[in-house]
Amino acid sequence: MIRRPPRSTPLYSSAASDVYKRQEQYEICRNKGTEPPFSGEYLNTKTTGTYRCLCCGNALFHSEKKFDSGTGWPSFWDPIDVQSVSTQEDLSMSVVRTEVLCKQCDSHLGHVFEDGPQPTGLRYCINSVSLKLEED
């Protein structure tokens, strides 16, 4: 008979949750995944601050340019600086989209669409998982 030591942490412990979060972050940031709509940490956040790349800390977006697009992901109408993000064509969903990447480390952030508010007319639809908010 095999004797197992008693479980010191519950199955859904903080440590297990941390492992899941890291796997989700890797899947989205490095494998170009997408978090489920209306599930992201920053979707309804109204906190003033700078949204940075989770992977490298690059400043990407400021809360002043965040808006509620109703799409289920945090949306911004402009990056903090044109040099902070890059874009490339994405054909992965059998439709042409424009992927948004961190210019510094190539982390996948989300996509940009041409249906946003003025003055840019752009909607940067970004995964919360790929961001870290630094409060002002």
Side-chain angles (χ1 to χ4, degrees):
M1 174 178 199
I2 299 173
R3 300 196 89 174
R4 295 189 178 135
R7 185 181 294 270
S8 60
T9 57
L11 183 59
Y12 297 104
S13 70
S14 164
S17 179
D18 288 347
V19 168
Y20 173 78
K21 183 155 181 98
R22 285 192 304 272
Q23 289 172 337
E24 181 184 36
Q25 290 165 341
Y26 186 85
E27 178 60 30
I28 290 169
C29 297
R30 296 299 174 208
N31 291 335
K32 302 177 187 276
T34 301
E35 67 191 359
F38 302 101
S39 68
E41 177 182 0
Y42 299 124
L43 176 62
N44 297 310
T45 300
K46 305 291 186 216
T47 305
T48 303
T50 300
Y51 290 88
R52 295 185 170 277
C53 176
L54 176 75
C55 298
C56 72
N58 185 25
L60 302 169
F61 300 96
H62 195 273
S63 59
E64 292 173 346
K65 297 179 180 181
K66 186 174 186 268
F67 70 100
D68 182 3
S69 66
T71 61
W73 291 274
S75 297
F76 303 86
W77 53 267
D78 207 19
I80 209 161
D81 184 301
V82 292
Q83 295 299 315
S84 63
V85 298
S86 62
T87 60
Q88 68 182 25
E89 188 177 76
D90 176 4
L91 302 172
S92 65
M93 300 289 287
S94 300
V95 66
V96 178
R97 298 183 299 169
T98 303
E99 179 184 10
V100 181
L101 303 155
C102 172
K103 182 92 173 210
Q104 191 165 299
C105 73
D106 285 332
S107 176
H108 171 75
L109 303 173
H111 293 85
V112 62
F113 303 93
E114 295 179 351
D115 61 0
Q118 293 304 316
T120 65
L122 299 175
R123 171 175 53 95
Y124 288 83
C125 194
I126 307 298
N127 292 293
S128 287
V129 169
S130 64
L131 302 172
K132 182 68 178 164
L133 177 59
E134 179 182 89
E135 294 183 27
D136 284 348

